[in-house]
Amino acid sequence: MVRAGLTVSAGILNAVDELVNRAKITELWGMAPFAGNADDSIWQTVDTSTFLVSGQQCSALQAGVAAAFAIPGVTRLAVGTSRVEHLAEAVDGSRLAVNTETVTAYRALLRERATVSAGAPSRKD
C-alpha cells in the first residue's frame, strides 16, 4: 500500500514506479488520497476536475479520488471515513475517467520541480 493522490511527491512517485517495475507488481493499493483531510479547504480551491476526461459532472472529492487511482497508478484505494456521504462520493469518484495526458504532464512537472529543487544551491541566511 502506497500513498496516492495529488499530494504525493515526486520522490514517492519515483520510488513506487521503481518498486512496481522491479517487483513486477500488477495489483497495487493506494491510501490517503487527501493526505488524511478531505475537508481541507485546499480541495475546494484546487480544480481537481482538470485531471478528468472533460464533460463529467462531479465534486472536487470525486475528482480527487479519480486522480488518486492514476497517481501513482493503483488498482484499489483505501479511504477512511465515518461519514456515509463521504464514502458514497469516493465510490462515485472511482467510476470517473481520468485524462491520462493530464496525469502524464502532471507527473512530468513534479519530476521537473524535484530535479530543479535538488539542483538548487542552498541559501545561507
Side-chain angles (χ1 to χ4, degrees):
M1 188 175 302
V2 298
R3 184 168 299 277
L6 297 172
T7 62
V8 175
S9 69
I12 295 297
L13 282 175
N14 291 338
V16 169
D17 287 346
E18 187 170 336
L19 174 65
V20 166
N21 289 333
R22 284 188 183 197
K24 298 182 182 7
I25 296 172
T26 58
E27 297 281 323
L28 185 65
W29 284 61
M31 65 177 191
F34 300 99
N37 188 1
D39 292 327
D40 191 314
S41 63
I42 188 71
W43 302 117
Q44 298 306 316
T45 305
V46 174
D47 183 5
T48 53
S49 70
T50 60
F51 290 88
L52 302 179
V53 171
S54 63
Q56 300 175 92
Q57 298 297 315
C58 64
S59 69
L61 188 141
Q62 291 166 338
V65 166
F69 274 99
I71 304 168
V74 299
T75 54
R76 304 227 187 318
L77 190 62
V79 296
T81 184
S82 58
R83 294 183 12 233
V84 173
E85 303 82 22
H86 180 100
L87 187 56
E89 279 199 271
V91 169
D92 290 341
S94 71
R95 297 178 180 135
L96 296 170
V98 175
N99 183 322
T100 56
E101 290 177 11
T102 302
V103 169
T104 299
Y106 178 75
R107 290 175 63 122
L109 286 171
L110 280 179
R111 287 189 176 109
E112 180 182 313
R113 181 174 181 239
T115 302
V116 169
S117 295
S122 60
R123 291 179 45 197
K124 294 184 181 183
D125 294 321

